[in-house]
Amino acid sequence: MHPFNNLLMEKERINHIALILDGNGRWAKEKGKSRTYGHKVGFDNIKKIALHASTLNLKALSLYCFSTENWLRPKEEVDFLMNIPISFEKDIEYYKSNNIKVIVSGRKDRIPINTLNALNHLINETKDSTGLILNICFDYGALDDIKNAINEIIKAGIKEVDENTIYSYLSSKDLPKVDILIRTGKEKRLSNYLLLESSYAELFFIDTYWPDFTEKDLDNIIEEYYTRERRYGGIK
């Protein structure tokens, strides 16, 4: 049992942590390596952090791996990033053995067929896992997701829309709202990531580049989270 589990039982449970995996290219550049090398090392870090998160009694961990705006990057880099999900297939047994269920949020119409097949295979092979839900946000943008939700609501002929209606049509509809949102890599912006889901999340912007982000970094953020008071717009 992770030592935080006792604390999690005493405090309000953390259900959902979202991460913006930033800084791969800058990390590599500082080491005299290519940006694609940074993305490779960053990808390798996902498995380690996901396993650690699965020991924390979380319901979900969302990872921002490729945004709807990342298509604007150089073709070589985009091509490399598009192939990263294929590498997930070699880790299927790892996720299954650790009871981690993988889902994917984002568009599916622009992803190369081999990449899409790899993602669907990972989803299908882990669908019966009952532990941590690992949400891979790939070709994902919050505004695009909200737009699609609104269009689906219109198609359904729904006349009166409330907050729950909107949430029920988002790609993250089966996940709890975000409690903690972390961005690595020194930048301090949300970059069109889980905007509605993170409306009352506690935000953490850290200087550490994603390839250097460790289990201890996650633990430190959780410790700080429990020193904050979440008021959801009210007064306590």
Side-chain angles (χ1 to χ4, degrees):
M1 177 181 288
H2 191 280
F4 275 137
N5 283 349
N6 289 332
L7 180 61
L8 295 174
M9 283 186 257
E10 297 170 7
K11 302 279 189 175
E12 179 184 357
R13 179 181 180 182
I14 299 172
N15 287 310
H16 189 178
I17 293 178
L19 268 156
I20 300 176
L21 316 183
D22 197 19
N24 292 333
R26 279 164 285 153
W27 176 87
K29 186 176 180 180
E30 289 180 8
K31 296 181 179 302
K33 303 283 189 179
S34 68
R35 290 180 59 84
T36 54
Y37 174 79
H39 290 307
K40 181 183 182 303
V41 176
F43 165 75
D44 291 339
N45 199 31
I46 288 175
K47 189 166 66 171
K48 179 179 68 176
I49 297 302
L51 177 60
H52 185 65
S54 73
T55 70
L56 298 175
N57 199 29
L58 303 177
K59 289 186 178 179
L61 176 71
S62 289
L63 305 179
Y64 206 9
C65 296
F66 189 90
S67 77
T68 50
E69 291 72 44
N70 284 157
W71 293 101
L72 299 173
R73 293 188 176 189
K75 184 179 184 303
E76 178 186 5
E77 185 172 349
V78 170
D79 288 346
F80 183 86
L81 290 168
M82 279 295 116
N83 282 314
I84 278 183
I86 297 174
S87 300
F88 271 107
E89 289 202 280
K90 66 179 174 57
D91 297 324
I92 285 176
E93 290 305 318
Y94 175 88
Y95 289 114
K96 288 174 68 174
S97 65
N98 286 289
N99 200 27
I100 295 173
K101 178 179 181 177
V102 180
I103 66 171
V104 177
S105 294
R107 296 180 58 161
K108 307 296 191 298
D109 59 321
R110 302 188 291 189
I111 299 174
I113 188 63
N114 289 343
T115 303
L116 183 59
N117 287 342
L119 289 172
N120 287 335
H121 188 208
L122 185 60
I123 291 168
N124 186 61
E125 288 294 313
T126 63
K127 69 181 188 314
D128 295 325
S129 295
T130 58
L132 177 76
I133 299 173
L134 179 62
N135 179 30
I136 303 298
C137 297
F138 198 79
D139 199 7
Y140 172 87
L143 295 178
D144 186 72
D145 201 32
I146 294 167
K147 176 199 70 177
N148 292 336
I150 292 171
N151 284 330
E152 289 301 315
I153 290 169
I154 292 170
K155 287 179 185 177
I158 298 172
K159 303 298 183 184
E160 297 271 339
V161 176
D162 59 16
E163 178 182 336
N164 290 331
T165 307
I166 296 172
Y167 271 98
S168 69
Y169 281 87
L170 295 175
S171 59
S172 61
K173 61 183 179 295
D174 296 323
L175 302 180
K177 294 179 183 179
V178 176
D179 298 300
I180 296 174
L181 189 147
I182 305 163
R183 181 175 188 140
T184 62
K186 301 183 181 181
E187 304 293 350
K188 295 177 174 62
R189 52 180 175 267
L190 297 179
S191 295
N192 195 20
Y193 183 48
L194 297 174
L195 297 180
L196 289 185
E197 297 89 335
S198 301
S199 54
Y200 276 100
E202 293 295 315
L203 307 181
F204 294 83
F205 300 101
I206 65 173
D207 290 344
T208 304
Y209 294 133
W210 171 247
D212 287 332
F213 187 83
T214 67
E215 299 96 323
K216 181 61 176 174
D217 290 319
L218 185 57
D219 288 350
N220 289 341
I221 286 169
I222 291 171
E223 282 193 281
E224 183 179 339
Y225 168 84
Y226 278 120
T227 68
R228 299 184 183 184
E229 185 177 15
R230 302 182 77 190
R231 295 191 293 273
Y232 302 96
I235 298 174
K236 293 184 179 181

